[in-house]
Amino acid sequence: MGSLIRSGDWDSASTDMHSSIRDRAWEQALNTRFDAVVVGGGINGACLYHHLCKAGYRTLLLDKGDFACGTSQSSAMMVWGGLLYLTFFDIKTVVQFCTSRDEMIRELGDWVKPFSLRYLPDRKKGRSQLLNQLALYLYWLLGKCRRQRPRLQNTYPEQQLIDSSRFKSSLLYQEAHVNPSDARFVCRWILPHRSVDHVPLNYCRLGAGGYDKSRRLWRLEVEDRLAGRQGEVKARFVFNTAGVWTDAVNQSFGVQTPFRHVYSKGVFIGLRREENHQVPLIFENPDDPALDCFTLIPWGPIALWGPTETVARDQETAYQVEPDDIRILLEQLNRHLRRPVGVSDIVSLRSGVRAIAVDRNSPPPDTTLGMSRRTHVCKAEDVPWITIFGGKLTGCITLSASVTRSLGEHLAPSGQASIHSPGLNGGPREGFPGLEASFPAASWCAREELCFRLEDYLRRRTNISQWSPRGGLGRNNENLSRLRELAGVFSNGEPGAESKLIEDYRSVVRRSFDDVLARC
């Protein structure tokens, strides 16, 4: 499923999970003069926060929801090398993204791994197989031959799944993927950096504020959404990395930039993974160029199919999966498989919104397919405010390192450099009914990983709500007793709080999953 609680629902959920750790962080935030405030805890904000902390900048990270609760929890989890740009002969960008991808594989060890993909040319209507082979070889060469050489395979395990009349040969090539999920990938950048100089606060909304030019200082109003308290933080620089909410944040502070965002909605459905499905399958879509290709990606016990790509006019509703999204995806998938799948086979849903940077005066697009996913860094003319437009998993290190170096030209760090590397501590693990994998224990995440709500745990600290049907409830609520145990961790021991957490969660599952499928 997608994020089960959108930003407008946070205030109505249980609120008293903040601990002494949270209280200390809040006091540090109010009593520290920060070098930088980073607004938005998605991939751009998380990676930038890491680099600023490592460089010794006193840094505050703010997110109005949980870390990675927006687009950064709904990606394909692939670290692409820029194959899309080869279609437009943008060689420079391909080389840059390939370099960034391989740098992440080299530097981030077991949590960014090489990953083979299988491209399946359509024998009836698809592109020329020879042309596809030449393109993948050129792509490999532009990546300086660091990944495995592309190769043609006529026999492979996934042939048992697909329609052999349309697909026979396959082209295998390599990219990379994050492990174990995109949301946990984001958290790994953030959570090691917590000290008097480095403060990450989720569920903390940025309010009004202004820049005092005489003191060269931002004064920003903030609200702790867990405890219902307000305060003011102070900083020399502000970095707006709010993803799809970037334009709204700029507007509220009167910041003008040459770019704005348009939004592309991408929906995946999660299905039970077949045993012989070992690598992602990429299918051409020659009948509808607006949808280009679809990918069936194995991920633990499920396979993700998608994504759609449609222009979204509104950020909030764009995160909602609609029946039409599901119908399109099932229709496309059943064109390729031997055994048809239906609505009853769906385990989970996920919907993300890509924020694509365009010229501020550009007219609304009819389609976002083929639009550049490049990142743009814009400094405001008269105040120390930097906005990051666009962005993706690939290149997050390169972008953040460059922005941190640029800050060094204007401001020397005033704090202690963080000595921690990206990653998360081990801690105890526990299982979940129906899943073979084990997960970080809920009590550990609540104590050590700034995990304050049941949905945080099920969706972002673990993969439970994506791998287990109906957000972990099970097809027939058979996992309800286990969810009650987990809810107890986040109920703070209050009478009736555990039951309310469960009922609220079931209500959101009905609204965002059951009711959507019922209308398909």
Side-chain angles (χ1 to χ4, degrees):
M1 299 175 64
S3 179
L4 289 173
I5 304 178
R6 296 302 318 143
S7 60
D9 297 324
W10 296 120
D11 294 327
S12 63
S14 175
T15 56
D16 282 331
M17 273 302 298
H18 64 282
S19 63
S20 59
I21 295 176
R22 174 77 178 193
D23 293 332
R24 286 197 300 271
W26 177 255
E27 291 301 317
Q28 288 166 1
L30 300 189
N31 295 312
T32 302
R33 180 176 293 190
F34 291 99
D35 298 319
V37 169
V38 179
V39 182
I43 184 55
N44 281 343
C47 196
L48 177 58
Y49 174 74
H50 162 80
H51 279 83
L52 292 172
C53 293
K54 294 286 284 187
Y57 289 99
R58 288 184 170 138
T59 308
L60 173 66
L61 175 64
L62 302 175
D63 198 295
K64 66 177 182 177
D66 191 21
F67 303 126
C69 71
T71 299
S72 293
Q73 68 173 358
S74 299
S75 73
M77 291 171 288
M78 302 298 299
V79 182
W80 304 100
L83 183 58
L84 170 68
Y85 295 96
L86 196 58
T87 308
F88 311 110
F89 303 101
D90 187 351
I91 303 300
K92 179 180 178 181
T93 301
V94 174
V95 171
Q96 288 175 340
F97 276 126
C98 283
T99 300
S100 296
R101 175 200 61 200
D102 296 332
E103 187 176 281
M104 292 174 73
I105 293 172
R106 184 175 63 253
E107 293 186 7
L108 300 180
D110 67 339
W111 47 300
V112 175
K113 296 183 177 182
F115 204 40
S116 294
L117 295 93
R118 193 178 303 284
Y119 188 88
L120 297 167
D122 191 316
R123 295 170 62 182
K124 297 180 178 179
K125 299 181 180 180
R127 305 179 183 98
S128 160
Q129 179 172 296
L130 178 59
L131 183 61
N132 285 326
Q133 284 183 272
L134 291 174
L136 288 176
Y137 264 91
L138 175 58
Y139 183 55
W140 176 64
L141 291 170
L142 292 173
K144 300 181 180 179
C145 309
R146 294 190 185 98
R147 307 272 56 83
Q148 290 183 2
R149 182 194 302 267
R151 59 190 187 275
L152 182 69
Q153 286 190 334
N154 291 319
T155 303
Y156 47 92
E158 292 82 7
Q159 279 176 316
Q160 301 175 45
L161 308 177
I162 62 177
D163 180 358
S164 59
S165 68
R166 295 184 61 188
F167 308 101
K168 184 177 180 181
S169 61
S170 72
L171 295 166
L172 200 67
Y173 74 104
Q174 267 198 343
E175 299 281 8
H177 76 116
V178 298
N179 178 50
S181 72
D182 44 4
R184 196 151 178 87
F185 178 78
V186 169
C187 290
R188 282 178 133 163
W189 292 107
I190 298 170
L191 296 177
H193 306 297
R194 286 175 281 172
S195 67
V196 294
D197 290 333
H198 313 122
V199 182
L201 286 175
N202 49 356
Y203 300 105
C204 191
R205 181 192 283 118
L206 176 65
Y211 183 65
D212 185 339
K213 290 187 177 181
S214 63
R215 302 186 65 182
R216 297 182 181 180
L217 199 66
W218 283 100
R219 294 182 177 274
L220 307 170
E221 296 176 10
V222 291
E223 177 191 1
D224 181 352
R225 302 180 73 179
L226 295 175
R229 53 191 170 185
Q230 291 79 36
E232 181 185 82
V233 298
K234 298 174 284 295
R236 300 291 299 276
F237 263 79
V238 174
F239 293 90
N240 181 2
T241 62
V244 298
W245 295 279
T246 295
D247 296 329
V249 173
N250 276 348
Q251 184 177 6
S252 67
F253 282 85
V255 175
Q256 296 289 325
T257 63
F259 296 98
R260 64 179 179 87
H261 280 137
V262 297
Y263 309 104
S264 172
K265 177 182 177 180
V267 174
F268 286 95
I269 56 176
L271 305 158
R272 184 179 62 83
R273 181 176 67 86
E274 298 292 339
E275 187 176 352
N276 49 6
H277 183 194
Q278 299 177 5
V279 300
L281 304 177
I282 302 176
F283 296 92
E284 295 178 338
N285 184 32
D287 292 337
D288 188 353
L291 294 175
D292 193 35
C293 294
F294 287 95
T295 307
L296 190 63
I297 305 171
W299 181 37
I302 70 168
L304 294 175
W305 171 249
T308 60
E309 179 146 359
T310 54
V311 175
R313 306 299 181 189
D314 176 82
Q315 301 100 307
E316 292 291 342
T317 59
Y319 281 98
Q320 300 172 8
V321 180
E322 300 293 339
D324 281 347
D325 299 321
I326 296 173
R327 283 192 285 265
I328 289 170
L329 288 170
L330 289 177
E331 178 184 350
Q332 290 291 333
L333 181 58
N334 285 326
R335 294 175 59 192
H336 307 314
L337 300 184
R338 289 178 185 264
R339 183 186 69 83
V341 298
V343 171
S344 62
D345 296 301
I346 295 175
V347 175
S348 58
L349 304 171
R350 61 199 274 130
S351 181
V353 183
R354 306 174 188 92
I356 302 173
V358 298
D359 184 271
R360 183 174 60 191
N361 299 316
S362 297
D366 294 323
T367 178
T368 55
L369 189 69
M371 296 180 70
S372 172
R373 269 59 169 172
R374 287 195 192 97
T375 303
H376 298 274
V377 179
C378 299
K379 186 182 184 301
E381 293 184 1
D382 55 346
V383 291
W385 179 289
I386 294 175
T387 305
I388 296 179
F389 288 93
K392 54 194 300 182
L393 285 175
T394 310
C396 64
I397 294 178
T398 303
L399 169 70
S400 299
S402 173
V403 171
T404 301
R405 287 194 299 270
S406 178
L407 178 62
E409 298 173 4
H410 305 279
L411 182 68
S414 66
Q416 294 291 319
S418 175
I419 61 173
H420 300 289
S421 299
L424 297 174
N425 294 328
R429 300 181 71 84
E430 58 191 12
F432 191 83
L435 299 177
E436 294 182 3
S438 63
F439 305 96
S443 56
W444 169 269
C445 292
R447 187 175 65 252
E448 302 291 341
E449 296 190 358
L450 304 182
C451 180
F452 296 104
R453 303 180 188 270
L454 177 63
E455 199 259 355
D456 297 348
Y457 178 72
L458 297 174
R459 181 64 179 84
R460 286 173 289 279
R461 303 307 185 275
T462 73
N463 300 333
I464 289 171
S465 72
Q466 292 282 282
W467 287 359
S468 180
R470 301 180 59 242
L473 286 167
R475 296 287 184 190
N476 300 298
N477 292 325
E478 62 270 20
N479 300 332
L480 193 55
S481 61
R482 177 59 178 141
L483 287 188
R484 289 189 187 280
E485 293 175 5
L486 295 174
V489 175
F490 302 98
S491 65
N492 235 23
E494 293 184 2
E498 176 185 314
S499 296
K500 186 177 187 305
L501 286 175
I502 289 296
E503 287 310 308
D504 287 348
Y505 189 73
R506 293 180 68 180
S507 176
V508 176
V509 171
R510 284 193 295 269
R511 186 173 68 246
S512 63
F513 187 80
D514 297 341
D515 293 349
V516 176
L517 297 191
R519 290 185 284 131
C520 290

